[in-house]
Amino acid sequence: MKNYAEDFNSFLVNEKKSSKNTIESYMRDLNKFFTYCDINKIKKIESVSSDVIKKYEQYMSFNGQSEASVMRTLASLRCYFNFLIREKFISETPMINLEKHKTVKKLPQILTNKEVLLLLNQPDGKDYKSCRDKAMLELLYATGIKVTELIELKLSDINLQVGILHLQSGKKADRIIPIYPQAIKALKNYITQVREVVVINPEEERLFTNMNGQPLTRQGFWKIIKQYAASAKINKDITPHTLRHSFAAHLLENGAPLSDIQEMLGHSDISSTQIYAQLMKNKYAAAYKKYHPLAN
């Protein structure tokens, strides 16, 4: 996609006289947006509509970005599209309906139990790639970890004999999360049948790599989960964070204490976890209104 990024970078340097950090922040935000466009097959910058921007905003929120981060990205995009108009690369900005828009905290999208099983069963594990993908999806739903945490996991973080994930963090307290038997089986298959073949470098510590033995990226995993969501014919906007949300909501629905879910998710503040309680409250309220004979 021709995105005029180099022209915009020159504008920031030569005309706007922005600082190095500001320019790096703008370009980082733009490159993430361009990746999103590529994945969604948006081939021309002129094709970016206000609807695309709104969906991208949702995508950022569902992937755990803070409201401040989302608003900063929108500011970067606003500056970028204003530049494109000034240079007559496009005729109108897709940001026009978002000028006074304030991000509202949205309830996360979750999968039903049936949808989770459909998604987990898409990779059959019969070849190297699907064996790896099955292990990754199972581990995400088993533990509720973030995708960034998944792709940075070390082989030593997994104890399959005990059935736990030891997630180490330099900033926050370590988390010990149980792994259910089906996920343990998928991980054993991957480690013994795939990883030992694909990962040639003996010094590579990462649990998951691409098929060339190189580190996975968030964008790479995003493509993987979108592919399986499509093959499962799940009519929801599934992102890498969807299994994390589903993990938390399903635990809460089945009676797990909110404080335990908070620890497993690694939330420092219980208020971040309470969104799942709100989600369950809305779900039960809708069911009550629909099915109780005197509710309407």
Side-chain angles (χ1 to χ4, degrees):
M1 177 176 74
K2 185 170 180 55
N3 52 40
Y4 308 101
E6 290 185 7
D7 300 272
F8 181 61
N9 188 84
S10 297
F11 162 73
L12 294 175
V13 173
N14 300 317
E15 295 189 45
K16 206 171 181 189
K17 306 294 183 184
S18 301
S19 70
K20 180 181 178 182
N21 287 341
T22 298
I23 294 171
E24 288 178 352
S25 177
Y26 272 125
M27 301 312 296
R28 185 166 53 247
D29 290 340
L30 285 181
N31 286 328
K32 289 179 181 178
F33 177 67
F34 296 151
T35 299
Y36 175 84
C37 289
D38 287 342
I39 292 171
N40 286 275
K41 303 188 186 311
I42 299 170
K43 298 181 179 180
K44 295 181 178 180
I45 199 65
E46 297 90 336
S47 301
V48 176
S49 63
S50 58
D51 187 52
V52 170
I53 300 295
K54 288 175 184 176
K55 286 182 179 178
Y56 183 57
E57 182 184 357
Q58 277 190 331
Y59 165 76
M60 289 188 289
S61 296
F62 288 157
N63 277 274
Q65 292 195 39
S66 67
E67 182 173 327
S69 178
V70 172
M71 294 299 287
R72 188 207 68 233
T73 299
L74 292 177
S76 298
L77 291 174
R78 189 172 295 116
C79 180
Y80 166 68
F81 282 110
N82 285 341
F83 163 76
L84 295 185
I85 287 178
R86 193 193 81 159
E87 298 299 316
K88 298 185 174 11
F89 293 138
I90 60 174
S91 58
E92 61 181 20
T93 174
M95 311 296 295
I96 191 165
N97 295 324
L98 301 169
E99 287 298 327
K100 296 182 180 179
H101 179 71
K102 181 175 172 59
T103 303
V104 177
K105 187 76 172 179
K106 299 177 178 67
L107 292 178
Q109 178 99 274
I110 66 168
L111 302 178
T112 64
N113 293 332
K114 182 179 179 180
E115 288 169 338
V116 167
L117 291 177
L118 270 174
L119 183 63
L120 297 182
N121 287 332
Q122 291 312 301
D124 57 19
K126 293 181 180 180
D127 57 69
Y128 285 172
K129 183 179 181 300
S130 66
C131 184
R132 180 207 61 185
D133 294 350
K134 189 171 188 66
M136 289 195 297
L137 293 179
E138 291 280 3
L139 186 60
L140 275 183
Y141 184 59
T143 60
I145 61 175
K146 299 176 183 176
V147 174
T148 49
E149 294 170 332
L150 176 80
I151 63 178
E152 291 173 2
L153 280 180
K154 297 178 181 177
L155 185 60
S156 57
D157 292 332
I158 297 285
N159 187 326
L160 295 181
Q161 287 186 321
V162 180
I164 61 167
L165 166 65
H166 180 195
L167 199 63
Q168 304 177 58
S169 173
K171 298 180 180 178
K172 299 179 181 179
D174 289 3
R175 285 140 63 197
I176 306 293
I177 311 173
I179 307 173
Y180 57 68
Q182 184 174 315
I184 292 174
K185 180 181 178 181
L187 284 163
K188 283 181 178 177
N189 289 340
Y190 161 69
I191 292 170
T192 58
Q193 299 176 22
V194 179
R195 191 182 184 280
E196 291 184 358
V197 177
V198 172
V199 181
I200 301 174
N201 183 1
E203 296 182 0
E204 177 57 68
E205 297 181 334
R206 290 180 190 249
L207 175 61
F208 296 110
T209 69
N210 61 27
M211 290 295 100
N212 295 318
Q214 301 301 313
L216 275 171
T217 63
R218 278 181 56 86
Q219 291 81 4
F221 185 83
W222 202 86
K223 292 179 181 179
I224 290 169
I225 199 167
K226 292 294 279 189
Q227 169 200 334
Y228 290 124
S231 61
K233 298 180 180 178
I234 299 174
N235 190 26
K236 289 180 179 177
D237 184 20
I238 295 179
T239 72
H241 232 57
T242 303
L243 283 175
R244 176 173 167 86
H245 293 319
S246 302
F247 161 86
H250 293 169
L251 280 177
L252 186 62
E253 188 174 17
N254 286 290
L258 201 61
S259 58
D260 289 350
I261 298 173
Q262 176 192 358
E263 288 192 23
M264 285 186 278
L265 292 177
H267 287 163
S268 56
D269 189 341
I270 190 68
S271 63
S272 298
T273 319
Q274 285 172 337
I275 190 171
Y276 300 107
Q278 180 65 43
L279 190 69
M280 291 299 102
K281 179 181 177 182
N282 289 1
K283 176 183 176 182
Y284 294 137
Y288 182 87
K289 186 174 182 180
K290 181 177 181 180
Y291 296 112
H292 196 289
L294 300 181
N296 295 298

